[in-house]
Every structure is written in structure tokens, then in C-alpha cells.
Amino acid sequence: MHNNSVNKPLLEVKDLCVAYGKVEALTQANLTVGEGQIVTVIGPNGAGKTTLLSAIMGVLGSKGQVCFDGTLESVPEVETLVGRGLGLVPEKRELFSSMSVEDNLKLGGFMRYRKGDRYQDSSLMEIYSLFPRLLERRKQAAATLSGGERQMLAVGRALMAKPKLLMLDEPSLGLAPLITREIFRIITDLRRQGVSILLVEQNARAALRVADYAYVLETGQIAMQGPAAELADDPRVVEAYLGAASKHQEMLAS
Ligand code: ATP
């Protein structure tokens, strides 16, 4: 098994372990995201993908090492990491549902604002140009948005903090194919703007198409890794994640 050899690692995770009580949900996970890379973690339900992102972000306690942007986080803490440029879009989106689209976005930039950065309006305009749909609906309460719009808002809110690395937990979950395509288009746009991406997905086909490098997580362990294009051709990946059966599953899910 080779490693993701990158010039400049932005995120390096070493021997990360998470246990829920006596049950180990993540075992000795090693993972690297290079600057400017899109890295994906694919795997079945319950493999530990959300657990991995939560541990990196400091939402969950873990053992092991998380090194972000050159600094080792001995105990990863959400607020510190957000301030240093790590963003997470959680699977459940977690919007403030009674608040408007625009207020949700402004809250995403709150930490920057508190530190004295007064460029909130220009950041808002950048988000609206990325997601024109959000501009149309900026006064609408988040609760009344469609699934795709909610996902756009969740991504937009994370972007307001100007992250260097954006972690996305199943951005295509529950979305129709056209909207899924839109979300993946935005992921490649973001990379062009210099944001690195760690993408967790069950939609392996779409994830391997946009990513540079990929990890397969199975029952809490990294079972395979490699350049995304190589993994997409690997017979084991094809059989388990890209074959006719999974295509059927994908259709049911969409
Ligand atoms: P999915 O694709 O279904 O979201 P996942 O790969 O993100 O799955 P996790 O949500 O990380 O998987 O869950 C990994 C394992 O840990 C599962 O077996 C799950 O039941 C278990 N687990 C997750 N959260 C908890 C918790 N708070 N307490 C106990 N067990 C948990």
C-alpha cells in the first residue's frame, strides 16, 4: 500500500483511534491531505467516516495525532481549529432553522468578524456568486429550504470562515442527481480557488471522479488507499462500491 506523498501536507492524521465505550469505531487511521488536494474517504454505512471527521475536528475525543497546517494538535479543539482554518460541513447540515439564509451565512463568518475582519459583505457576495440560489432566498428561513438548498447553505456558511481545508460529510446525501452534480461541480470550483477538501462519501462513483486521492474505510480501518483514478479501476473497489449492485443502490438513494 503506498502513501499519499504530497509536497506540502495540510492535514496529517496519524494512528487516530476513537472508541464509543468499549467499542472501537476507528482503529489506527492514517491519512494525509496535501495543499490544494481533494481527498475522499469512501466506505459503507457505519464504517466510521463521520467518526473520523468528528475526531479530526475535535468534536469527539480521540487518541493519536492530528497535525493541521504545520501544528500538532495534541487535543484537537473545535474553536482553535476553526480559527486556524479548518471547516466542517456536518452530515446533518445543522443550520439555524428559524433564522434567515443570510443570518446563517453571517454566523459562519462570526469568528473572523470577532477577530476584527470586517470584510463580511464581500465574503457574502462571494458566497452568493457561488450559489446564486442563496441570493434569491436570502431572506427566507433556513427551515423552508429544499434539501439541495440546505446543503448549499451549509457549505456557504462554512466558507464564510475562509477555511484552508473544508471537510464535507456526505454532501450528496438525500439529494437528487442533478443537485448532486451541482454540489460536486462546486467542490472542484472551490479547489480552483485554493481550498483543499476532505470529502466523505457513500456515493463512491462521484467521489472518485472528483478526488485526487482516496481512502477506503471499512469497519473503522483504512482498508485501501491510492490515487482516486487507480482505485476506481481496482477490481475490489469496483465490486464493492462501483458495481451493478451499488449502482442500483445509488438509484434507490437518489
Ligand atoms: P454512515 O455512512 O452511515 O453515516 P459512518 O461511516 O459515518 O456511517 P459512523 O457514524 O462514524 O459511520 O459510525 C461508526 C460506528 O460507530 C457505527 O457502528 C456507529 O453505530 C457507531 N457510533 C457512532 N456514534 C456513536 C455513539 N455516539 N455512540 C455509540 N456508537 C456510535
Side-chain angles (χ1 to χ4, degrees), residues 87-89 104-105 108-109 112 123-124 126-128 130-131 134 151-168 186-187 189-191 193-197:
L88 170 66
V89 179
N104 268 277
L105 289 175
R112 271 177 58 214
S123 305
L124 267 179
E126 283 169 29
I127 305 298
Y128 288 144
L130 201 59
F131 302 103
L134 295 183
Q151 184 58 274
M152 289 176 197
L153 180 54
V155 174
R157 189 178 58 180
L159 288 175
M160 286 292 288
K162 294 248 181 250
K164 292 183 191 139
L165 176 66
L166 187 60
M167 303 197 289
L168 298 164
I186 285 155
I187 291 173
D189 270 10
L190 287 177
R191 192 248 300 265
Q193 295 173 21
V195 184
S196 310
I197 311 265

Side-chain angles (χ1 to χ4, degrees), residues 20 25 43-52 91 169-170 202 217:
Y20 295 112
N45 278 123
K49 303 183 296 300
T50 300
T51 301
L52 170 69
E91 185 177 336
D169 195 353
E170 304 221 17
Q202 272 199 59
L217 192 65

Side-chain angles (χ1 to χ4, degrees), residues 97-108:
S97 34
S98 62
M99 289 169 65
S100 71
V101 165
E102 189 147 304
D103 285 345
N104 268 277
L105 289 175
K106 284 182 175 163
L107 271 177

Side-chain angles (χ1 to χ4, degrees), residues 29-118:
N30 289 286
L31 167 151
T32 303
V33 181
E35 216 155 78
Q37 266 193 328
I38 300 182
V39 171
T40 186
V41 177
I42 58 171
N45 278 123
K49 303 183 296 300
T50 300
T51 301
L52 170 69
L53 295 191
S54 308
I56 294 173
M57 196 74 213
V59 181
L60 269 181
S62 62
K63 277 193 208 142
Q65 288 188 355
V66 174
C67 189
F68 178 64
D69 201 15
T71 306
L72 180 68
E73 302 288 336
S74 45
V75 182
E77 277 177 15
V78 183
E79 203 170 325
T80 317
L81 281 162
V82 171
R84 294 191 48 232
L86 186 62
L88 170 66
V89 179
E91 185 177 336
K92 298 201 171 70
R93 318 330 189 206
E94 285 163 23
L95 301 168
F96 297 97
S97 34
S98 62
M99 289 169 65
S100 71
V101 165
E102 189 147 304
D103 285 345
N104 268 277
L105 289 175
K106 284 182 175 163
L107 271 177
F110 174 70
M111 291 249 290
R112 271 177 58 214
Y113 190 79
R114 204 171 57 180
K115 280 190 187 163
D117 183 343
R118 292 292 180 269

